[in-house]
Amino acid sequence: MRWISQIVLCCTLALAGTARADILDQVTTFTLDNGMDVVVIEDHRAPAVVHMMWYRVGSADEPAGASGVAHFLEHLMFKGTENMEAGEFSQVVAANGGSDNAFTSFDYTAYFQRVAADRLSLMMQMEADRMQNLRLTETDILTEREVIIEERNQRTENDPGALFREQRMAAQYLNHRYGVPIIGWRHEMSVLDMDDVMSFYEAHYAPNNAILIVAGDVTPDEVRALAMEHYAPIPANPAIEARDRVQEPPQQSERRLTFSDPRVAQPYVIRSYLAPERDAGDQREAAALYLLGEVLGGGQTSVLAGKLQFEAQKAVYASAWHAPTRLDDTIFSKVMVPVPGVSLEEAEALLDQAIAEFLEEGVDEAQLDRIKRQLKASQIYARDNVSDLANLFGRALTSGLTVEDIGAWPDLVQSITGEEIIAAAKRTFVRERAVTGYLMQDTPEVSQ
């Protein structure tokens, strides 16, 4: 169940961090002539900065048959350039007292360094170099391909919950690339080659497809001057256009699956639905669904925990969550891990009953007020971690939102009513549009 807890925690922290009406007070934005967007988040309490380069490209932008190439390229960006040897980038960062890393998701790929503020120019110099001058060898391809395959072995093949999630996402998204794992399908990863990588690099890595975020002990004027020096000379790629992905056809029948594995320690039932994401200028439905997730599954005082864990004492764990920050339709999920002796069929029925009672009873206003106060209180801590703020802006902006949308989100969440939450739940919880999955230890008997 570790991955479920991590997802819920990540969604909660990411959105809680936005619960501040004045989040834009410390933010300045501008755009270079070559199309690169720049976001500066000022925090002068410590002489350090976070330098992040976000590309508006992720695994959902990969060509069919080349799954995993976005993540593969992320690894290979730490190899050589015209000006640096393989591995030298991270060595220089470490030698200057900093740390660096990168990550890939469905909608973005990001690279970051944490360094002393007076090392910012050096970070920009190196990042600009690998944006345009990546140079790979066949040895790089072969060696790093083994690395990502081993990563899949460790994180996916050795985890029945991860394998189950892959199958559920493939059932959830029949047409959209969100149904393909970010790390890639193993049979496609194993044949990724130089042409796949360089074609992807040349098609997507350019200043007009990038967002530079600098957070920490800097001023907008300082960042502008350095960006003009290091990034402005890089030409835009005129072939880059707005992302136009294939979308899901209407779902007309519930999809169900079971996944059996002897390594499963805790069987559970999970149901998910396609749900609206946060859209630029139109975030209200997503805000209602986010609060629905908090009301139903946001901790030990939530509806599902109260009904299934404490009252009925039939669940080890019960929760629900909405992942709103995506470029395209996202999902709303609810899960129950039953206590020993309760079958998954019983657990599913209990979960359905708890949801039906909630929809009939409505939102407890005292609970909703408490949730909203907790979110508002989190604004006290929002300024304390510039890395979190940089991540917040990067994930939102690469998912199609604007700085204004990010600033509007906290007050919008506070304005959502209990009636709106119930209405959003009823629009979303349509059984014919659900994917229901059982993760179990033993293979079920097939009835004759």
Side-chain angles (χ1 to χ4, degrees):
M1 296 306 297
R2 183 175 66 252
W3 70 269
I4 292 179
S5 300
Q6 289 173 338
I7 290 174
V8 175
L9 177 63
C10 287
C11 291
T12 301
L13 289 178
L15 290 163
T18 69
R20 50 179 299 110
D22 61 344
I23 195 171
L24 300 186
D25 287 354
Q26 63 200 100
V27 176
T28 301
T29 64
F30 56 90
T31 303
L32 302 181
D33 288 344
N34 59 11
M36 178 182 287
D37 292 321
V38 183
V39 178
V40 182
I41 305 172
E42 293 185 75
D43 186 330
H44 300 288
R45 291 177 296 175
V49 294
V50 176
H51 173 266
M52 303 193 78
M53 184 60 68
W54 295 74
Y55 291 96
R56 295 183 181 90
V57 61
S59 66
D61 301 291
E62 296 167 340
S67 65
V69 69
H71 174 248
F72 190 25
L73 175 57
E74 174 217 310
H75 277 239
L76 291 166
M77 286 286 283
F78 291 87
K79 300 298 183 180
T81 70
E82 285 185 358
N83 303 299
M84 304 190 79
E85 298 294 329
E88 186 178 352
F89 190 110
S90 294
Q91 292 169 8
V92 171
V93 174
N96 282 271
S99 61
D100 72 320
N101 213 324
F103 49 88
T104 305
S105 190
F106 289 119
D107 299 316
Y108 51 78
T109 310
Y111 304 83
F112 67 90
Q113 304 88 41
R114 298 186 183 94
V115 292
D118 62 0
R119 300 297 193 272
L120 179 58
S121 179
L122 177 60
M123 298 303 106
M124 288 196 184
Q125 175 188 326
M126 295 194 299
E127 197 68 77
D129 179 36
R130 67 176 172 180
M131 177 184 286
Q132 59 187 327
N133 297 320
L134 185 64
R135 296 293 181 268
L136 302 174
T137 67
E138 287 296 337
T139 299
D140 293 332
I141 297 294
L142 295 175
T143 302
E144 207 63 33
R145 193 168 63 193
E146 290 302 313
V147 171
I148 62 170
I149 289 173
E150 181 57 29
E151 184 177 338
R152 180 180 168 87
N153 288 339
Q154 293 180 3
R155 297 186 179 184
T156 304
E157 306 294 352
N158 290 332
D159 183 350
L163 291 170
F164 177 47
R165 183 175 187 273
E166 280 191 345
Q167 296 301 307
R168 287 190 298 103
M169 290 294 284
Q172 187 83 68
Y173 292 98
L174 297 183
N175 199 41
H176 196 284
R177 294 288 293 183
Y178 286 166
V180 177
I182 294 169
I183 198 168
W185 298 118
R186 185 187 183 95
H187 68 285
E188 294 182 350
M189 296 168 63
S190 64
V191 294
L192 290 173
D193 59 20
M194 180 75 78
D195 288 341
D196 294 320
V197 171
M198 293 309 297
S199 294
F200 197 78
Y201 173 75
E202 292 165 2
H204 299 289
Y205 278 51
N208 52 321
N209 203 35
I211 303 168
L212 169 65
I213 300 181
V214 180
D217 189 22
V218 291
T219 67
D221 287 344
E222 290 169 341
V223 174
R224 185 188 297 271
L226 291 174
M228 288 297 295
E229 177 184 354
H230 297 294
Y231 292 119
I234 304 174
N237 180 352
I240 291 177
E241 299 177 349
R243 286 185 279 188
D244 184 18
R245 296 169 172 170
V246 297
Q247 299 299 311
E248 280 297 293
Q251 183 178 342
Q252 300 176 338
S253 176
E254 182 185 8
R255 301 164 192 161
R256 300 183 67 90
L257 68 155
T258 61
F259 190 92
S260 301
D261 192 301
R263 298 171 295 178
V264 172
Q266 288 185 310
Y268 60 84
V269 57
I270 184 169
R271 178 172 296 145
S272 57
Y273 310 81
L274 285 182
E277 78 285 2
R278 294 168 62 186
D279 286 325
D282 183 15
Q283 304 183 87
R284 195 163 192 89
E285 183 81 351
L289 288 170
Y290 164 60
L291 282 175
L292 173 64
E294 290 294 301
V295 169
L296 284 178
Q300 296 299 294
T301 61
S302 65
V303 169
L304 293 182
K307 289 180 177 293
L308 299 174
Q309 290 179 241
F310 302 117
E311 293 178 18
Q313 296 187 355
K314 298 290 187 179
V316 175
Y317 177 80
S319 189
W321 63 93
H322 178 238
T325 308
R326 290 269 180 87
L327 184 64
D328 297 313
D329 279 350
T330 184
I331 55 176
F332 188 102
S333 303
K334 47 194 178 185
V335 66
M336 177 175 166
V337 183
V339 298
V342 174
S343 70
L344 293 183
E345 291 81 5
E346 292 175 281
E348 181 182 356
L350 288 165
L351 186 59
D352 287 343
Q353 179 183 347
I355 294 295
E357 291 173 355
F358 166 73
L359 294 177
E360 180 67 26
E361 296 164 359
V363 175
D364 183 304
E365 290 300 326
Q367 181 198 15
L368 181 58
D369 288 344
R370 183 171 61 252
I371 289 170
K372 288 182 177 180
R373 287 197 301 271
Q374 290 170 345
L375 292 175
K376 184 173 287 188
S378 68
Q379 69 184 12
I380 298 172
Y381 306 103
R383 293 180 185 264
D384 287 344
N385 192 319
V386 292
S387 294
D388 286 350
L389 282 179
N391 271 277
L392 168 68
F393 275 81
R395 293 173 196 274
L397 294 173
T398 52
S399 298
L401 299 172
T402 66
V403 170
E404 291 71 27
D405 293 320
I406 299 169
W409 178 258
D411 288 342
L412 181 62
V413 169
Q414 293 292 322
S415 72
I416 299 297
T417 66
E419 289 76 16
E420 287 180 284
I421 292 172
I422 295 296
K426 290 179 177 178
R427 284 189 292 269
T428 302
F429 296 165
V430 177
R431 191 63 172 267
E432 292 76 18
R433 299 202 294 268
V435 174
T436 303
Y438 286 7
L439 178 64
M440 41 206 321
Q441 187 174 46
D442 299 316
T443 303
E445 292 183 6
V446 178
S447 58
Q448 301 298 319

